[in-house]
């Protein structure tokens, strides 16, 4: 893309600051203070996405939800959040990004209080859905405000590095925070901790954050926004249903088909509008489209693996949730380090080499972790996690920076929403794909254990946790044989999953060759 074209596009869609919106972010101190506020709110949303995982047993014991209700308690937040990202991202471009962000803060606080004191599974599901609405308001707004506050690409690269490191750390420490709270308080405390943070974020955000909108030409496409939200809901619901292993079930293909049809209508509608919510042509540009695809591929390869790794640490090595969180700490610290040096690496290597290198390092880390077995190897585990955290953050940093720099400033909210939607979609596909690989490799190893009845072996083939329960019921030599077979089968499944992840990551390194060679 030529510099002339970029400049013209920026003049057409330059953000319009609102008067009296707080301190001018043009000053160095103002910009970095704004970044701190944005990262604090992002950290809260990222933590909340994973903090409930360790509280599920306590919730089940207290509220006694059915199996379907329990699934929705866990999935309501990410499903609703991912579905509404484009809706609220583009709405912020029109009515004000700070305004949407502050509404998100308020809704997040109300939903957190409702979730903390929920007295039934239905109330908790509704509260988790409201949290998803608040999260969808907050996440794209933070990135689009960052795009406006840091117009210089080199400074913006550093800011995005810090932003993406905070997102990675938040998701990683969520289970650790949940484990610490549950050691001293009831399960509602994992939601209640949000209230004081939101109480501070609302007035501070109103005072410090600048307001901006796009040029505002043409009405906001309400029907288009609803098509995008409904289509994404269907696609992500289908992908999440596929994670249960029933790939041919109507619960998978019906929402997938309906969602794909609605998204097709959305794209056709945007192509025909003079003032679209999202410039579909932007997605076809090499830098933007490739960055979005690489985000999907990165998260796809790793998020399912992260869940399997947590099971390995707790069920194979016998670590507690707190010990598991501490073992994952090197990954978080390496991600922070990669975010802090990311802007220098980007200037030195350029987007193409940086993203390809990140994919390659992450693939190398995954291959190193195939050396794990039934015995604890803390040195190998820590070294693999350091490489994994550094490679993952390097890849995501390069992708987000290239994507956001390619987008017109007036559509920063929509562009940020596309990136976050890609992340959520990659997470859902990763859990479905890698979960299927794991099940295919694990199941045969426990279904035909000598001396174990066929029905018991079939139940044990569902998961390692269920295998341990069946082994405890059998007892004696048969139970011990099943337990050992299940541990061995799980490690074999882990190795197969790692190899598939490595292949996906190497494909990502090849795809990254379509990115620009240098920063423009």
């Amino acid at each position: 893309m030529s510099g002339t074209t970029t400049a013209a596009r920026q003049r057409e869609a330059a953000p319009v600051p609102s008067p009296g919106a707080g301190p001018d972010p043009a000053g160095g101190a103002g910009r970095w203070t704004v970044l701190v506020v944005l990262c604090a709110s992002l950290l809260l949303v990222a933590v909340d996405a994973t903090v409930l995982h360790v509280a599920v047993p306590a919730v089940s014991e207290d509220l006694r939800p059915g199996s379907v209700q329990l699934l929705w308690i866990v999935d309501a937040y990410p499903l609703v959040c991912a579905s509404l990202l484009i809706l609220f991202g583009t709405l912020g471009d029109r009515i004000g990004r700070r305004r949407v962000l502050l509404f998100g803060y308020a809704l997040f606080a109300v939903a957190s209080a409702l979730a903390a004191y929920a007295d039934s599974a239905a109330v908790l599901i509704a509260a988790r859905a409201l949290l998803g609405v608040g999260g969808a308001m907050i996440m794209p707004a933070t990135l689009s405000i960052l795009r406006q506050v840091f117009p210089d690409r080199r400074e913006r690269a550093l800011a995005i590095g810090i932003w993406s490191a905070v997102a990675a750390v938040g998701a990683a420490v969520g289970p650790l925070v949940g484990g610490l709270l549950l050691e001293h308080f009831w399960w509602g405390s994992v939601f209640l901790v949000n209230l004081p943070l939101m109480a501070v974020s609302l007035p501070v955000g109103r005072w410090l954050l600048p307001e901006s909108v796009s040029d505002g030409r043409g009405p906001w496409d309400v029907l288009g926004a609803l098509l995008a939200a409904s289509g994404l809901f269907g696609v992500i619901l289908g992908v999440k249903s596929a994670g249960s292993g029933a790939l041919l079930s109507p619960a998978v293909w019906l929402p997938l088909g309906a969602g794909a049809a609605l998204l097709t209508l959305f794209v056709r509608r945007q192509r025909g509008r003079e003032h679209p919510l999202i410039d579909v042509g932007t997605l076809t540009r090499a830098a933007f489209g490739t960055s979005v695809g690489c985000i999907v591929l990165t998260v796809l390869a790793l998020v399912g693996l992260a869940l399997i790794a947590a099971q390995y640490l707790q069920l194979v090595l016998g670590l507690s949730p707190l010990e598991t969180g501490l073992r994952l700490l090197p990954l978080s610290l390496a991600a922070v380090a990669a975010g802090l040096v990311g802007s220098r690496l980007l200037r030195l290597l350029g987007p193409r080499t940086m993203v390809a290198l990140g994919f390659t390092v992450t693939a190398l880390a995954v291959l190193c972790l195939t050396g794990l077995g039934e015995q604890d190897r803390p040195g190998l585990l820590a070294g693999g996690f350091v490489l994994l955290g550094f490679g993952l953050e390097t890849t995501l940093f390069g992708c987000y920076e290239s994507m956001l720099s390619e987008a017109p400033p007036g559509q920063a909210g929509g562009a940020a929403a596309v990136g976050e939607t890609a992340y959520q979609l990659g997470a859902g596909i990763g859990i479905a794909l890698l979960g299927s690989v794991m099940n295919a490799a694990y199941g045969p190893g426990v279904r035909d254990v000598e001396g174990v009845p066929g029905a018991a072996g079939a139940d044990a083939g569902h998961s390692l946790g269920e295998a341990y329960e069946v082994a405890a019921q059998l007892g004696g030599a048969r139970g011990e044989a099943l337990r050992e077979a299940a541990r061995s089968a799980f490690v074999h499944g882990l190795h197969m999953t790692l190899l598939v992840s490595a292949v996906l990551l190497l494909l990502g390194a090849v795809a990254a060759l379509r990115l620009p060679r240098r920063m423009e």
Side-chain angles (χ1 to χ4, degrees):
M1 178 188 312
S2 67
T4 303
T5 303
T6 303
R9 191 175 71 224
Q10 290 179 350
R11 285 194 299 271
E12 290 173 2
V16 180
S18 297
D24 182 5
R31 287 195 295 274
W32 299 108
T33 303
V34 166
L35 178 63
V36 170
V37 176
L38 295 177
C39 286
S41 58
L42 176 67
L43 179 65
L44 185 63
V45 175
V47 167
D48 215 72
T50 56
V51 72
L52 185 63
H53 291 172
V54 296
V56 167
V59 171
S60 299
E61 184 178 353
D62 187 22
L63 301 183
R64 301 293 180 183
S67 58
V68 175
Q69 287 180 316
L70 186 61
L71 183 66
W72 276 103
I73 287 172
V74 175
D75 285 345
Y77 175 86
L79 181 59
V80 172
C81 182
S83 302
L84 298 178
L85 284 167
I86 289 178
L87 189 153
F88 286 119
T90 56
L91 181 63
D93 288 338
R94 294 303 180 96
I95 70 171
R97 293 145 189 157
R98 185 189 68 165
R99 181 176 298 168
V100 171
L101 180 64
L102 295 179
F103 272 117
Y105 285 164
L107 185 58
F108 210 82
V110 171
S112 296
L114 183 62
Y117 294 104
D119 57 359
S120 68
V123 173
L124 184 55
I125 291 170
R128 289 279 289 170
L130 280 178
L131 280 169
V133 178
M137 292 180 173
I138 293 171
M139 293 177 72
T142 60
L143 197 52
S144 56
I145 291 174
L146 185 151
R147 170 70 174 85
Q148 174 224 345
V149 171
F150 291 90
D152 178 76
R153 183 167 184 179
R154 291 191 176 187
E155 283 193 345
R156 185 167 66 245
L158 177 58
I160 291 175
I162 297 171
W163 179 91
S164 57
V166 167
V169 169
V173 304
L176 181 59
V177 171
L180 289 172
L181 289 171
L182 289 173
E183 284 191 358
H184 302 286
F185 307 102
W186 94 114
W187 61 263
S189 62
V190 302
F191 300 110
L192 207 60
V193 71
N194 296 336
L195 296 183
L197 297 175
M198 287 293 98
V200 173
S201 296
L202 264 170
V204 171
R206 181 174 176 80
W207 175 49
L208 286 178
L209 298 179
E211 182 62 285
S212 70
V213 295
S214 65
D215 56 16
R217 291 181 298 177
W220 184 57
D221 184 9
V222 179
L223 178 58
L226 293 177
L227 281 174
S230 303
L232 286 170
F233 185 89
V235 168
I236 296 171
L237 178 60
V239 167
K240 284 185 172 292
S241 299
S244 64
L247 298 179
L248 301 180
S249 167
V252 175
W253 293 109
L254 286 179
L256 270 179
L262 290 171
L263 289 178
T264 301
L265 289 175
F266 170 74
V267 171
R268 293 184 62 180
R269 180 177 176 84
Q270 298 311 297
R271 286 187 182 278
R273 290 183 64 84
E274 183 180 358
H275 303 291
L277 288 175
I278 294 176
D279 181 6
V280 179
T282 301
L283 295 174
T284 63
R285 298 189 184 105
F288 192 94
T290 301
S291 296
V292 171
C294 286
I295 290 171
V296 173
L297 199 54
T298 305
V299 181
L300 186 157
L302 291 166
V303 69
L305 180 61
L307 294 176
I308 295 169
Q311 295 179 55
Y312 169 78
L313 292 172
Q314 294 186 59
L315 297 179
V316 176
L317 299 187
L319 303 180
S320 69
L322 182 58
E323 289 172 329
T324 298
L326 293 175
R327 287 293 187 95
L328 293 170
L329 195 58
L331 189 152
S332 301
L333 295 177
V336 172
L340 295 178
V341 302
S343 61
R344 292 186 179 182
L345 283 177
L346 188 63
R347 291 197 300 271
L348 179 65
L349 302 176
R352 179 188 302 177
T353 303
M354 182 176 181
V355 174
L357 178 65
F359 271 120
T360 304
V361 170
T362 310
L364 176 63
V366 167
L367 291 174
C368 287
L369 291 175
T370 58
L372 297 175
E374 296 182 44
Q375 303 301 318
D376 191 4
R377 300 184 66 181
L380 175 62
L381 199 63
F385 280 167
V386 167
L387 284 177
L388 196 64
F390 192 89
L392 169 63
E393 179 58 27
T394 299
T395 305
L396 289 177
F397 169 84
C399 292
Y400 273 111
E401 199 283 333
S402 296
M403 179 198 72
L404 202 59
S405 295
E406 183 70 11
Q411 294 188 0
V418 169
E420 293 300 323
T421 302
Y423 191 102
Q424 298 291 340
L425 195 59
I429 296 173
I431 292 172
L433 175 62
L434 297 186
S436 299
V437 172
M438 181 69 189
N439 291 336
Y442 165 77
V446 296
R447 292 191 185 120
D448 298 313
V449 179
E450 185 176 355
V452 175
D459 291 339
H462 295 155
S463 69
L464 182 58
E466 195 163 346
Y468 283 176
E469 292 179 4
V470 173
Q473 293 171 3
L474 291 174
R478 294 187 304 169
E480 185 60 28
L482 177 61
R483 186 180 180 88
E484 289 302 317
R487 282 165 56 92
S488 177
F490 186 90
V491 171
H492 171 67
L494 174 63
H495 291 166
M496 293 299 101
T497 306
L498 288 167
L499 291 175
V500 172
S501 296
V503 171
L504 292 171
L505 291 163
L506 292 175
L507 289 175
V510 174
L513 298 179
R514 296 187 69 240
L515 290 171
R517 187 181 298 274
R518 295 184 178 86
M519 292 177 66
E520 295 179 0

